[in-house]
Short mmCIF file of all heavy atoms in Angstrom, two decimals:
data_model
loop_
_atom_site.label_atom_id
_atom_site.label_comp_id
_atom_site.label_asym_id
_atom_site.label_seq_id
_atom_site.Cartn_x
_atom_site.Cartn_y
_atom_site.Cartn_z
N LEU A 587 -29.50 -29.00 28.59
CA LEU A 587 -30.24 -29.34 27.36
C LEU A 587 -30.41 -28.12 26.45
O LEU A 587 -30.54 -28.24 25.23
CB LEU A 587 -31.63 -29.88 27.71
CG LEU A 587 -31.70 -31.36 28.13
CD1 LEU A 587 -33.05 -31.66 28.76
CD2 LEU A 587 -31.45 -32.29 26.95
N GLU A 588 -30.38 -26.93 27.05
CA GLU A 588 -30.53 -25.73 26.24
C GLU A 588 -29.25 -25.42 25.45
O GLU A 588 -29.31 -24.94 24.33
CB GLU A 588 -30.88 -24.53 27.15
CG GLU A 588 -32.29 -24.62 27.70
CD GLU A 588 -32.53 -23.66 28.86
OE1 GLU A 588 -31.67 -22.78 29.10
OE2 GLU A 588 -33.58 -23.78 29.51
N PRO A 590 -25.63 -27.53 25.58
CA PRO A 590 -24.70 -28.45 26.24
C PRO A 590 -23.24 -27.96 26.23
O PRO A 590 -22.48 -28.31 27.12
CB PRO A 590 -24.82 -29.73 25.41
CG PRO A 590 -26.11 -29.61 24.68
CD PRO A 590 -26.34 -28.17 24.46
N TYR A 610 -25.05 -38.07 33.21
CA TYR A 610 -26.08 -37.51 32.32
C TYR A 610 -25.42 -36.59 31.29
O TYR A 610 -25.73 -36.66 30.10
CB TYR A 610 -27.08 -36.72 33.17
CG TYR A 610 -28.16 -36.01 32.38
CD1 TYR A 610 -29.37 -36.64 32.09
CD2 TYR A 610 -27.96 -34.71 31.92
CE1 TYR A 610 -30.35 -35.98 31.36
CE2 TYR A 610 -28.93 -34.06 31.19
CZ TYR A 610 -30.13 -34.69 30.92
OH TYR A 610 -31.09 -34.05 30.20
N GLN A 617 -24.49 -37.42 22.56
CA GLN A 617 -25.61 -37.15 21.65
C GLN A 617 -25.34 -35.89 20.83
O GLN A 617 -25.63 -35.82 19.64
CB GLN A 617 -26.91 -37.00 22.44
CG GLN A 617 -28.11 -36.66 21.57
CD GLN A 617 -29.41 -36.50 22.35
OE1 GLN A 617 -29.72 -37.34 23.19
NE2 GLN A 617 -30.13 -35.42 22.10
N GLU A 618 -24.75 -34.89 21.48
CA GLU A 618 -24.49 -33.62 20.80
C GLU A 618 -23.44 -33.81 19.69
O GLU A 618 -23.56 -33.22 18.61
CB GLU A 618 -23.99 -32.60 21.83
CG GLU A 618 -24.02 -31.17 21.36
CD GLU A 618 -25.44 -30.61 21.20
OE1 GLU A 618 -26.41 -31.32 21.54
OE2 GLU A 618 -25.55 -29.49 20.72
N ALA A 624 -24.25 -35.40 12.26
CA ALA A 624 -25.41 -35.64 11.39
C ALA A 624 -25.76 -34.37 10.60
O ALA A 624 -26.14 -34.46 9.43
CB ALA A 624 -26.60 -36.09 12.23
N LEU A 625 -25.65 -33.22 11.23
CA LEU A 625 -26.01 -31.98 10.56
C LEU A 625 -24.99 -31.60 9.46
O LEU A 625 -25.34 -30.94 8.49
CB LEU A 625 -26.11 -30.83 11.57
CG LEU A 625 -27.30 -30.87 12.53
CD1 LEU A 625 -27.19 -29.74 13.55
CD2 LEU A 625 -28.63 -30.78 11.79
N VAL A 627 -23.81 -32.31 6.68
CA VAL A 627 -23.93 -33.06 5.41
C VAL A 627 -22.92 -32.49 4.42
O VAL A 627 -22.47 -31.35 4.55
CB VAL A 627 -25.36 -32.94 4.83
CG1 VAL A 627 -26.35 -33.65 5.70
CG2 VAL A 627 -25.76 -31.49 4.62
N GLY A 628 -22.57 -33.30 3.44
CA GLY A 628 -21.59 -32.86 2.43
C GLY A 628 -22.12 -31.70 1.60
O GLY A 628 -23.31 -31.64 1.29
N LEU A 633 -20.27 -25.56 -5.45
CA LEU A 633 -21.26 -24.57 -5.02
C LEU A 633 -20.72 -23.13 -5.15
O LEU A 633 -21.42 -22.24 -5.62
CB LEU A 633 -21.69 -24.86 -3.58
CG LEU A 633 -22.76 -23.92 -2.99
CD1 LEU A 633 -24.03 -23.91 -3.83
CD2 LEU A 633 -23.10 -24.32 -1.55
N VAL A 634 -19.48 -22.94 -4.74
CA VAL A 634 -18.89 -21.58 -4.83
C VAL A 634 -18.82 -21.15 -6.29
O VAL A 634 -19.22 -20.03 -6.64
CB VAL A 634 -17.48 -21.55 -4.21
CG1 VAL A 634 -16.78 -20.23 -4.54
CG2 VAL A 634 -17.57 -21.69 -2.70
N HIS A 636 -20.55 -22.19 -8.87
CA HIS A 636 -21.90 -21.93 -9.40
C HIS A 636 -22.45 -20.61 -8.91
O HIS A 636 -23.06 -19.85 -9.66
CB HIS A 636 -22.84 -23.08 -9.00
CG HIS A 636 -22.64 -24.32 -9.83
ND1 HIS A 636 -23.44 -25.43 -9.71
CD2 HIS A 636 -21.75 -24.62 -10.78
CE1 HIS A 636 -23.02 -26.36 -10.55
NE2 HIS A 636 -21.99 -25.89 -11.20
N LEU A 638 -20.79 -17.96 -7.82
CA LEU A 638 -20.07 -16.81 -8.42
C LEU A 638 -20.42 -16.66 -9.89
O LEU A 638 -20.52 -15.54 -10.41
CB LEU A 638 -18.57 -16.96 -8.23
CG LEU A 638 -18.09 -16.86 -6.77
CD1 LEU A 638 -16.59 -17.08 -6.69
CD2 LEU A 638 -18.45 -15.51 -6.16
N ARG A 640 -23.29 -17.53 -11.32
CA ARG A 640 -24.65 -17.00 -11.40
C ARG A 640 -24.64 -15.50 -11.05
O ARG A 640 -25.35 -14.72 -11.67
CB ARG A 640 -25.53 -17.78 -10.41
CG ARG A 640 -26.99 -17.48 -10.59
CD ARG A 640 -27.82 -18.47 -9.84
NE ARG A 640 -29.21 -18.09 -9.84
CZ ARG A 640 -30.16 -18.73 -9.16
NH1 ARG A 640 -29.84 -19.77 -8.43
NH2 ARG A 640 -31.39 -18.31 -9.19
N HIS A 641 -23.81 -15.17 -10.10
CA HIS A 641 -23.64 -13.76 -9.74
C HIS A 641 -23.09 -12.99 -10.94
O HIS A 641 -23.51 -11.86 -11.21
CB HIS A 641 -22.68 -13.68 -8.54
CG HIS A 641 -22.09 -12.33 -8.32
ND1 HIS A 641 -22.84 -11.24 -7.96
CD2 HIS A 641 -20.82 -11.89 -8.42
CE1 HIS A 641 -22.05 -10.20 -7.84
NE2 HIS A 641 -20.83 -10.56 -8.11
N GLU A 644 -25.80 -12.25 -13.26
CA GLU A 644 -26.62 -11.17 -12.70
C GLU A 644 -26.01 -9.82 -13.08
O GLU A 644 -26.72 -8.88 -13.43
CB GLU A 644 -26.66 -11.33 -11.18
CG GLU A 644 -27.28 -10.18 -10.45
CD GLU A 644 -28.74 -10.44 -10.07
OE1 GLU A 644 -29.34 -11.37 -10.63
OE2 GLU A 644 -29.25 -9.71 -9.25
N GLN A 645 -24.69 -9.75 -13.04
CA GLN A 645 -24.03 -8.48 -13.36
C GLN A 645 -24.21 -8.13 -14.83
O GLN A 645 -24.25 -6.98 -15.21
CB GLN A 645 -22.53 -8.57 -13.05
CG GLN A 645 -22.22 -8.84 -11.59
CD GLN A 645 -23.14 -8.03 -10.70
OE1 GLN A 645 -23.07 -6.82 -10.70
NE2 GLN A 645 -24.01 -8.70 -9.96
N LYS A 651 -25.09 -1.59 -9.06
CA LYS A 651 -25.23 -0.23 -8.56
C LYS A 651 -23.89 0.49 -8.56
O LYS A 651 -23.79 1.67 -8.81
CB LYS A 651 -25.80 -0.27 -7.15
CG LYS A 651 -27.28 -0.62 -7.10
CD LYS A 651 -27.73 -0.79 -5.66
CE LYS A 651 -29.12 -1.42 -5.62
NZ LYS A 651 -29.46 -1.88 -4.29
N ASN A 654 -18.86 -1.31 -11.34
CA ASN A 654 -17.42 -1.53 -11.51
C ASN A 654 -17.10 -3.01 -11.44
O ASN A 654 -16.28 -3.44 -10.67
CB ASN A 654 -16.65 -0.76 -10.43
CG ASN A 654 -15.17 -0.76 -10.70
OD1 ASN A 654 -14.75 -1.00 -11.83
ND2 ASN A 654 -14.37 -0.49 -9.67
N ASN A 655 -17.76 -3.78 -12.27
CA ASN A 655 -17.54 -5.22 -12.24
C ASN A 655 -17.05 -5.76 -13.58
O ASN A 655 -17.22 -6.94 -13.88
CB ASN A 655 -18.83 -5.94 -11.83
CG ASN A 655 -19.21 -5.59 -10.42
OD1 ASN A 655 -18.57 -6.05 -9.48
ND2 ASN A 655 -20.21 -4.74 -10.28
N GLU A 657 -14.16 -6.45 -14.52
CA GLU A 657 -13.14 -7.48 -14.42
C GLU A 657 -13.76 -8.86 -14.37
O GLU A 657 -13.34 -9.78 -15.06
CB GLU A 657 -12.32 -7.24 -13.18
CG GLU A 657 -11.02 -7.99 -13.18
CD GLU A 657 -10.17 -7.58 -11.98
OE1 GLU A 657 -10.42 -6.50 -11.42
OE2 GLU A 657 -9.28 -8.35 -11.67
N TRP A 675 -31.26 -23.01 -14.83
CA TRP A 675 -29.92 -22.66 -14.35
C TRP A 675 -29.03 -23.86 -14.09
O TRP A 675 -27.88 -23.91 -14.46
CB TRP A 675 -30.06 -21.82 -13.06
CG TRP A 675 -28.76 -21.78 -12.34
CD1 TRP A 675 -28.43 -22.41 -11.19
CD2 TRP A 675 -27.58 -21.13 -12.78
NE1 TRP A 675 -27.14 -22.18 -10.87
CE2 TRP A 675 -26.58 -21.41 -11.83
CE3 TRP A 675 -27.23 -20.35 -13.89
CZ2 TRP A 675 -25.28 -20.93 -11.93
CZ3 TRP A 675 -25.94 -19.88 -13.98
CH2 TRP A 675 -24.98 -20.16 -13.02
N ARG A 676 -29.58 -24.84 -13.41
CA ARG A 676 -28.75 -25.95 -13.00
C ARG A 676 -28.10 -26.65 -14.19
O ARG A 676 -26.90 -26.91 -14.21
CB ARG A 676 -29.59 -26.96 -12.22
CG ARG A 676 -28.81 -28.06 -11.55
CD ARG A 676 -29.70 -28.87 -10.67
NE ARG A 676 -30.44 -28.03 -9.76
CZ ARG A 676 -29.90 -27.44 -8.70
NH1 ARG A 676 -28.64 -27.63 -8.41
NH2 ARG A 676 -30.62 -26.67 -7.92
N ARG A 731 -18.76 -22.65 20.12
CA ARG A 731 -18.38 -21.41 19.46
C ARG A 731 -17.03 -21.56 18.75
O ARG A 731 -16.85 -21.15 17.62
CB ARG A 731 -18.34 -20.29 20.51
CG ARG A 731 -17.78 -18.96 20.06
CD ARG A 731 -18.72 -18.19 19.18
NE ARG A 731 -19.95 -17.79 19.86
CZ ARG A 731 -20.91 -17.07 19.29
NH1 ARG A 731 -20.79 -16.66 18.05
NH2 ARG A 731 -22.00 -16.77 19.94
N ASN A 734 -17.31 -23.92 15.76
CA ASN A 734 -18.02 -23.25 14.67
C ASN A 734 -17.13 -22.24 13.96
O ASN A 734 -17.11 -22.16 12.72
CB ASN A 734 -19.25 -22.57 15.26
CG ASN A 734 -20.22 -22.16 14.18
OD1 ASN A 734 -20.17 -21.01 13.76
ND2 ASN A 734 -21.05 -23.06 13.73
N ASN A 738 -16.03 -22.80 10.03
CA ASN A 738 -16.43 -21.83 9.01
C ASN A 738 -15.32 -21.58 7.99
O ASN A 738 -15.58 -21.12 6.87
CB ASN A 738 -16.83 -20.50 9.65
CG ASN A 738 -18.26 -20.53 10.15
OD1 ASN A 738 -19.04 -21.40 9.79
ND2 ASN A 738 -18.60 -19.60 11.02
N ASP A 740 -13.01 -24.01 7.36
CA ASP A 740 -12.51 -25.36 7.02
C ASP A 740 -11.32 -25.80 7.86
O ASP A 740 -10.39 -26.42 7.37
CB ASP A 740 -12.14 -25.45 5.54
CG ASP A 740 -13.36 -25.74 4.69
OD1 ASP A 740 -14.34 -26.25 5.25
OD2 ASP A 740 -13.32 -25.46 3.48
N LEU A 757 -12.65 -10.62 8.41
CA LEU A 757 -11.90 -10.43 7.17
C LEU A 757 -10.52 -9.89 7.51
O LEU A 757 -10.39 -8.87 8.18
CB LEU A 757 -12.62 -9.43 6.27
CG LEU A 757 -13.90 -9.90 5.57
CD1 LEU A 757 -14.61 -8.71 4.94
CD2 LEU A 757 -13.57 -10.93 4.51
N GLY A 760 -9.07 -8.79 3.34
CA GLY A 760 -10.09 -9.17 2.36
C GLY A 760 -10.37 -10.66 2.29
O GLY A 760 -11.17 -11.09 1.47
N TRP A 762 -11.36 -14.36 4.49
CA TRP A 762 -11.94 -14.81 5.75
C TRP A 762 -10.94 -15.60 6.58
O TRP A 762 -10.17 -16.39 6.07
CB TRP A 762 -13.20 -15.65 5.50
CG TRP A 762 -14.35 -14.75 5.25
CD1 TRP A 762 -14.84 -14.38 4.04
CD2 TRP A 762 -15.13 -14.04 6.22
NE1 TRP A 762 -15.88 -13.50 4.19
CE2 TRP A 762 -16.08 -13.26 5.52
CE3 TRP A 762 -15.11 -13.98 7.61
CZ2 TRP A 762 -16.98 -12.44 6.16
CZ3 TRP A 762 -16.03 -13.17 8.25
CH2 TRP A 762 -16.95 -12.41 7.53
N MET B 542 -10.45 -5.88 -9.11
CA MET B 542 -11.63 -6.24 -8.34
C MET B 542 -11.90 -5.17 -7.28
O MET B 542 -10.99 -4.82 -6.53
CB MET B 542 -11.39 -7.59 -7.65
CG MET B 542 -12.65 -8.20 -7.10
SD MET B 542 -12.30 -9.68 -6.14
CE MET B 542 -11.45 -10.69 -7.35
N ASN B 543 -13.11 -4.65 -7.23
CA ASN B 543 -13.37 -3.59 -6.26
C ASN B 543 -13.69 -4.19 -4.87
O ASN B 543 -13.81 -5.39 -4.70
CB ASN B 543 -14.51 -2.68 -6.75
CG ASN B 543 -15.82 -3.44 -6.90
OD1 ASN B 543 -16.05 -4.44 -6.23
ND2 ASN B 543 -16.67 -2.97 -7.78
N GLN B 546 -16.84 -6.30 -4.55
CA GLN B 546 -16.70 -7.64 -5.13
C GLN B 546 -15.87 -8.53 -4.21
O GLN B 546 -16.17 -9.71 -4.02
CB GLN B 546 -16.04 -7.53 -6.51
CG GLN B 546 -15.97 -8.84 -7.27
CD GLN B 546 -17.35 -9.34 -7.70
OE1 GLN B 546 -18.05 -8.66 -8.42
NE2 GLN B 546 -17.73 -10.52 -7.22
N LEU B 548 -15.55 -8.26 -0.96
CA LEU B 548 -16.36 -8.61 0.22
C LEU B 548 -17.36 -9.71 -0.14
O LEU B 548 -17.54 -10.69 0.60
CB LEU B 548 -17.09 -7.36 0.74
CG LEU B 548 -18.08 -7.60 1.89
CD1 LEU B 548 -17.36 -8.16 3.11
CD2 LEU B 548 -18.78 -6.30 2.27
N ASN B 550 -17.14 -11.99 -2.54
CA ASN B 550 -16.44 -13.26 -2.70
C ASN B 550 -16.07 -13.87 -1.35
O ASN B 550 -16.18 -15.09 -1.14
CB ASN B 550 -15.17 -13.08 -3.53
CG ASN B 550 -15.47 -12.75 -4.98
OD1 ASN B 550 -16.60 -12.93 -5.44
ND2 ASN B 550 -14.49 -12.25 -5.69
N SER B 551 -15.67 -13.00 -0.42
CA SER B 551 -15.30 -13.49 0.90
C SER B 551 -16.51 -14.06 1.63
O SER B 551 -16.40 -15.07 2.31
CB SER B 551 -14.72 -12.35 1.74
OG SER B 551 -13.61 -11.82 1.11
N LEU B 552 -17.64 -13.41 1.47
CA LEU B 552 -18.87 -13.91 2.11
C LEU B 552 -19.26 -15.27 1.54
O LEU B 552 -19.63 -16.16 2.29
CB LEU B 552 -20.02 -12.92 1.92
CG LEU B 552 -19.95 -11.60 2.69
CD1 LEU B 552 -21.09 -10.68 2.28
CD2 LEU B 552 -20.01 -11.85 4.19
N GLU B 554 -17.26 -17.46 0.15
CA GLU B 554 -16.28 -18.46 0.62
C GLU B 554 -16.57 -18.86 2.07
O GLU B 554 -16.52 -20.02 2.43
CB GLU B 554 -14.87 -17.87 0.56
CG GLU B 554 -14.21 -18.01 -0.80
CD GLU B 554 -12.81 -17.44 -0.78
OE1 GLU B 554 -12.18 -17.38 0.29
OE2 GLU B 554 -12.35 -17.01 -1.85
N ALA B 555 -16.83 -17.86 2.89
CA ALA B 555 -16.96 -18.12 4.33
C ALA B 555 -18.25 -18.81 4.70
O ALA B 555 -18.28 -19.66 5.60
CB ALA B 555 -16.83 -16.81 5.09
N GLN B 557 -20.83 -20.22 2.51
CA GLN B 557 -21.58 -21.13 1.62
C GLN B 557 -21.85 -22.47 2.30
O GLN B 557 -22.93 -23.03 2.17
CB GLN B 557 -20.85 -21.31 0.28
CG GLN B 557 -19.36 -21.55 0.34
CD GLN B 557 -18.96 -22.96 -0.03
OE1 GLN B 557 -19.76 -23.74 -0.47
NE2 GLN B 557 -17.69 -23.28 0.16
N LYS B 558 -20.88 -22.98 3.03
CA LYS B 558 -21.08 -24.30 3.66
C LYS B 558 -22.13 -24.28 4.77
O LYS B 558 -23.08 -25.07 4.72
CB LYS B 558 -19.75 -24.85 4.17
CG LYS B 558 -18.87 -25.34 3.04
CD LYS B 558 -17.63 -26.00 3.55
CE LYS B 558 -16.78 -26.47 2.37
NZ LYS B 558 -15.53 -27.09 2.79
N TYR B 561 -25.50 -23.68 3.21
CA TYR B 561 -26.02 -24.84 2.46
C TYR B 561 -26.60 -25.86 3.45
O TYR B 561 -27.70 -26.38 3.25
CB TYR B 561 -24.90 -25.49 1.64
CG TYR B 561 -25.33 -26.77 0.98
CD1 TYR B 561 -26.00 -26.77 -0.25
CD2 TYR B 561 -25.10 -28.00 1.59
CE1 TYR B 561 -26.44 -27.96 -0.84
CE2 TYR B 561 -25.53 -29.19 1.02
CZ TYR B 561 -26.19 -29.16 -0.20
OH TYR B 561 -26.61 -30.34 -0.77
N ARG B 562 -25.84 -26.13 4.52
CA ARG B 562 -26.31 -27.13 5.50
C ARG B 562 -27.59 -26.65 6.18
O ARG B 562 -28.52 -27.42 6.41
CB ARG B 562 -25.21 -27.40 6.53
CG ARG B 562 -24.07 -28.20 5.92
CD ARG B 562 -22.90 -28.34 6.84
NE ARG B 562 -21.87 -29.16 6.20
CZ ARG B 562 -20.58 -28.93 6.29
NH1 ARG B 562 -20.14 -27.91 7.01
NH2 ARG B 562 -19.71 -29.69 5.66
N TRP B 566 -31.24 -28.60 5.80
CA TRP B 566 -32.07 -29.12 6.89
C TRP B 566 -33.39 -28.38 6.99
O TRP B 566 -34.32 -28.84 7.65
CB TRP B 566 -31.31 -29.12 8.20
CG TRP B 566 -30.29 -30.21 8.22
CD1 TRP B 566 -28.94 -30.08 8.11
CD2 TRP B 566 -30.53 -31.62 8.31
NE1 TRP B 566 -28.32 -31.30 8.11
CE2 TRP B 566 -29.26 -32.26 8.25
CE3 TRP B 566 -31.68 -32.40 8.45
CZ2 TRP B 566 -29.13 -33.66 8.32
CZ3 TRP B 566 -31.53 -33.79 8.51
CH2 TRP B 566 -30.28 -34.40 8.45
N SER B 572 -30.67 -30.20 -3.87
CA SER B 572 -30.79 -29.29 -5.03
C SER B 572 -31.48 -28.00 -4.64
O SER B 572 -31.06 -26.90 -5.05
CB SER B 572 -31.60 -29.97 -6.14
OG SER B 572 -30.95 -31.13 -6.55
N GLU B 575 -29.16 -25.88 -2.64
CA GLU B 575 -28.18 -25.20 -3.50
C GLU B 575 -28.81 -23.94 -4.11
O GLU B 575 -28.20 -22.88 -4.13
CB GLU B 575 -27.70 -26.16 -4.59
CG GLU B 575 -26.43 -25.70 -5.24
CD GLU B 575 -25.83 -26.76 -6.17
OE1 GLU B 575 -26.15 -27.95 -6.02
OE2 GLU B 575 -25.07 -26.38 -7.04
N ASP B 576 -30.04 -24.08 -4.59
CA ASP B 576 -30.74 -22.91 -5.15
C ASP B 576 -30.96 -21.84 -4.09
O ASP B 576 -30.82 -20.65 -4.36
CB ASP B 576 -32.09 -23.33 -5.74
CG ASP B 576 -31.92 -24.01 -7.09
OD1 ASP B 576 -30.86 -23.84 -7.70
OD2 ASP B 576 -32.85 -24.73 -7.51
N GLN B 579 -27.73 -19.98 -3.54
CA GLN B 579 -27.42 -19.08 -4.67
C GLN B 579 -28.33 -17.85 -4.65
O GLN B 579 -27.88 -16.72 -4.85
CB GLN B 579 -27.55 -19.84 -5.98
CG GLN B 579 -26.43 -20.87 -6.14
CD GLN B 579 -26.56 -21.68 -7.41
OE1 GLN B 579 -27.39 -21.38 -8.27
NE2 GLN B 579 -25.73 -22.71 -7.54
N GLU B 580 -29.63 -18.09 -4.40
CA GLU B 580 -30.56 -16.95 -4.34
C GLU B 580 -30.20 -16.03 -3.18
O GLU B 580 -30.29 -14.80 -3.29
CB GLU B 580 -32.01 -17.46 -4.16
CG GLU B 580 -32.65 -17.99 -5.42
CD GLU B 580 -32.77 -16.93 -6.52
OE1 GLU B 580 -32.92 -15.74 -6.19
OE2 GLU B 580 -32.67 -17.30 -7.70
N TRP B 586 -25.88 -9.70 -2.66
CA TRP B 586 -25.10 -8.82 -3.54
C TRP B 586 -25.88 -7.52 -3.80
O TRP B 586 -25.33 -6.43 -3.71
CB TRP B 586 -24.79 -9.52 -4.85
CG TRP B 586 -24.28 -8.58 -5.90
CD1 TRP B 586 -24.97 -8.05 -6.94
CD2 TRP B 586 -22.97 -8.00 -5.97
NE1 TRP B 586 -24.19 -7.20 -7.67
CE2 TRP B 586 -22.96 -7.15 -7.11
CE3 TRP B 586 -21.80 -8.14 -5.21
CZ2 TRP B 586 -21.82 -6.44 -7.48
CZ3 TRP B 586 -20.68 -7.42 -5.59
CH2 TRP B 586 -20.69 -6.58 -6.71
N ARG B 587 -27.17 -7.68 -4.09
CA ARG B 587 -27.98 -6.50 -4.42
C ARG B 587 -28.07 -5.53 -3.23
O ARG B 587 -28.19 -4.34 -3.42
CB ARG B 587 -29.38 -6.92 -4.84
CG ARG B 587 -29.41 -7.63 -6.19
CD ARG B 587 -30.81 -8.17 -6.47
NE ARG B 587 -30.76 -9.23 -7.47
CZ ARG B 587 -31.60 -10.25 -7.51
NH1 ARG B 587 -32.57 -10.35 -6.61
NH2 ARG B 587 -31.50 -11.16 -8.44
N GLU B 632 -25.66 -37.64 1.61
CA GLU B 632 -24.92 -36.44 1.26
C GLU B 632 -23.49 -36.41 1.81
O GLU B 632 -22.68 -35.62 1.38
CB GLU B 632 -25.67 -35.20 1.78
CG GLU B 632 -27.00 -34.98 1.14
CD GLU B 632 -26.88 -34.43 -0.27
OE1 GLU B 632 -25.97 -33.64 -0.52
OE2 GLU B 632 -27.69 -34.80 -1.10
N ARG B 646 -30.05 -38.54 11.80
CA ARG B 646 -30.51 -37.71 10.67
C ARG B 646 -32.02 -37.85 10.48
O ARG B 646 -32.72 -36.87 10.22
CB ARG B 646 -29.76 -38.08 9.38
CG ARG B 646 -28.35 -37.49 9.38
CD ARG B 646 -27.60 -37.82 8.13
NE ARG B 646 -26.34 -37.05 8.13
CZ ARG B 646 -25.22 -37.47 7.58
NH1 ARG B 646 -25.15 -38.64 6.99
NH2 ARG B 646 -24.14 -36.71 7.63
N GLN B 663 -28.33 -22.85 16.47
CA GLN B 663 -27.35 -22.97 17.55
C GLN B 663 -26.16 -23.85 17.14
O GLN B 663 -25.01 -23.47 17.32
CB GLN B 663 -28.01 -23.55 18.80
CG GLN B 663 -27.10 -23.57 20.01
CD GLN B 663 -27.77 -24.24 21.20
OE1 GLN B 663 -28.13 -25.40 21.17
NE2 GLN B 663 -27.94 -23.48 22.27
N LEU B 665 -25.38 -25.38 13.97
CA LEU B 665 -24.74 -25.15 12.67
C LEU B 665 -24.17 -23.74 12.53
O LEU B 665 -23.09 -23.56 12.00
CB LEU B 665 -25.74 -25.35 11.53
CG LEU B 665 -25.91 -26.75 10.97
CD1 LEU B 665 -26.91 -26.74 9.83
CD2 LEU B 665 -24.58 -27.34 10.48
N GLY B 667 -23.87 -21.43 15.15
CA GLY B 667 -23.20 -20.90 16.33
C GLY B 667 -23.88 -19.71 16.96
O GLY B 667 -23.25 -18.92 17.65
N THR B 669 -26.17 -17.57 19.57
CA THR B 669 -26.55 -17.65 20.98
C THR B 669 -28.07 -17.69 21.04
O THR B 669 -28.76 -17.42 20.04
CB THR B 669 -26.07 -16.39 21.75
OG1 THR B 669 -26.73 -15.25 21.19
CG2 THR B 669 -24.56 -16.21 21.64
N ARG B 689 -34.49 -27.28 24.39
CA ARG B 689 -34.60 -28.41 25.33
C ARG B 689 -35.46 -29.53 24.73
O ARG B 689 -35.07 -30.70 24.73
CB ARG B 689 -35.28 -27.95 26.62
CG ARG B 689 -34.36 -27.47 27.69
CD ARG B 689 -34.99 -27.49 29.07
NE ARG B 689 -36.33 -26.99 29.18
CZ ARG B 689 -36.67 -25.73 29.39
NH1 ARG B 689 -35.74 -24.81 29.46
NH2 ARG B 689 -37.94 -25.36 29.51
N ARG B 692 -33.80 -31.48 21.86
CA ARG B 692 -32.79 -32.47 22.29
C ARG B 692 -33.45 -33.66 22.99
O ARG B 692 -33.00 -34.79 22.84
CB ARG B 692 -31.75 -31.81 23.19
CG ARG B 692 -30.81 -30.89 22.41
CD ARG B 692 -29.58 -30.46 23.22
NE ARG B 692 -28.63 -29.80 22.34
CZ ARG B 692 -28.60 -28.48 22.12
NH1 ARG B 692 -29.48 -27.68 22.72
NH2 ARG B 692 -27.71 -27.96 21.30
N ARG B 696 -33.27 -37.49 21.77
CA ARG B 696 -32.86 -38.52 22.70
C ARG B 696 -33.87 -39.66 22.71
O ARG B 696 -33.51 -40.84 22.62
CB ARG B 696 -32.72 -37.95 24.11
CG ARG B 696 -32.19 -38.93 25.13
CD ARG B 696 -32.36 -38.40 26.54
NE ARG B 696 -33.76 -38.37 26.94
CZ ARG B 696 -34.18 -38.07 28.16
NH1 ARG B 696 -33.31 -37.74 29.09
NH2 ARG B 696 -35.47 -38.07 28.45
N LYS B 710 -30.28 -41.06 29.59
CA LYS B 710 -31.48 -40.91 30.41
C LYS B 710 -31.57 -39.51 31.00
O LYS B 710 -30.60 -38.88 31.21
CB LYS B 710 -31.46 -41.95 31.52
CG LYS B 710 -31.60 -43.36 30.98
CD LYS B 710 -32.31 -44.26 31.96
CE LYS B 710 -32.38 -45.69 31.45
NZ LYS B 710 -33.40 -45.89 30.49
#
Side-chain angles (χ1 to χ4, degrees):
Chain A
L587 279 167
E588 289 165 10
Y610 177 90
Q617 177 180 313
E618 195 70 5
L625 289 175
V627 293
L633 181 57
V634 169
H636 283 185
L638 293 178
R640 190 167 171 186
H641 162 66
E644 171 99 344
Q645 299 319 294
K651 286 174 192 167
N654 190 20
N655 294 287
E657 196 173 340
W675 163 252
R676 189 173 308 286
R731 172 74 64 178
N734 194 265
N738 278 344
D740 276 339
L757 287 169
W762 279 97
Chain B
M542 193 187 303
N543 63 27
Q546 187 68 60
L548 175 61
N550 290 345
S551 302
L552 289 174
E554 275 181 26
Q557 46 109 7
K558 285 186 180 177
Y561 173 85
R562 289 173 178 141
W566 286 106
S572 299
E575 197 171 338
D576 283 341
Q579 290 178 8
E580 282 299 329
W586 167 259
R587 291 173 200 149
E632 295 284 325
R646 283 181 172 148
Q663 187 184 61
L665 272 182
T669 63
R689 268 200 317 272
R692 288 192 169 92
R696 185 192 69 174
K710 293 211 184 281

